Amino acid sequence: MPNTISSWAIARQVVRSGTSPSANYRAACIAKSEKDFLNKLKMVEEELDETLHWLTLIKECEILPEDRMSDIINECTELLKITVSSIISTRNKINQ
């Protein structure tokens, strides 16, 4: 990241939101119930979505070149899709 105040602020946000999903997913894996699991997965979804927001901002504001951001944005998007799919499956299972 460039050595600017705004770049460092965004970088801190990416570090915070980007590391949270793994901890929340780990918590989901030891959930006490399906509803608890669902709640924890929703936290994973929120943090991945926030991370995607910051990564997209970095790309759109041209803080880093698009070619450096594309792979990580795609990876974050795929993780978000997997998480949402798990949320939908779990919600359907609970509602049956």
Side-chain angles (χ1 to χ4, degrees):
M1 297 286 284
N3 192 16
T4 64
I5 293 171
S6 59
S7 292
W8 283 107
I10 293 170
R12 283 192 297 277
Q13 289 297 115
V14 171
V15 168
R16 188 194 59 73
S17 66
T19 56
S20 178
S22 65
N24 286 318
Y25 181 76
R26 182 179 171 123
C29 289
I30 59 168
K32 307 293 187 259
S33 66
E34 287 179 341
K35 287 184 179 181
D36 187 33
F37 177 75
L38 182 61
N39 184 51
K40 291 177 187 332
L41 275 186
K42 289 296 291 172
M43 288 189 279
V44 172
E45 177 190 21
E46 289 173 14
E47 293 297 327
L48 285 169
D49 184 60
E50 181 181 343
T51 303
L52 187 57
H53 163 74
W54 292 116
L55 294 173
T56 303
L57 185 69
I58 291 168
K59 177 183 166 187
E60 289 177 358
C61 293
E62 299 178 350
I63 295 170
L64 291 175
E66 184 174 344
D67 63 326
R68 290 191 57 198
M69 297 306 301
S70 293
D71 286 345
I72 194 165
I73 288 173
N74 290 339
E75 182 79 18
C76 187
T77 302
E78 288 301 313
L79 289 170
L80 187 56
K81 288 178 183 178
I82 291 166
T83 302
V84 169
S85 180
S86 295
I87 288 168
I88 292 168
S89 296
T90 303
R91 190 176 289 139
N92 289 340
K93 186 176 179 181
I94 290 171
N95 291 332
Q96 285 182 351

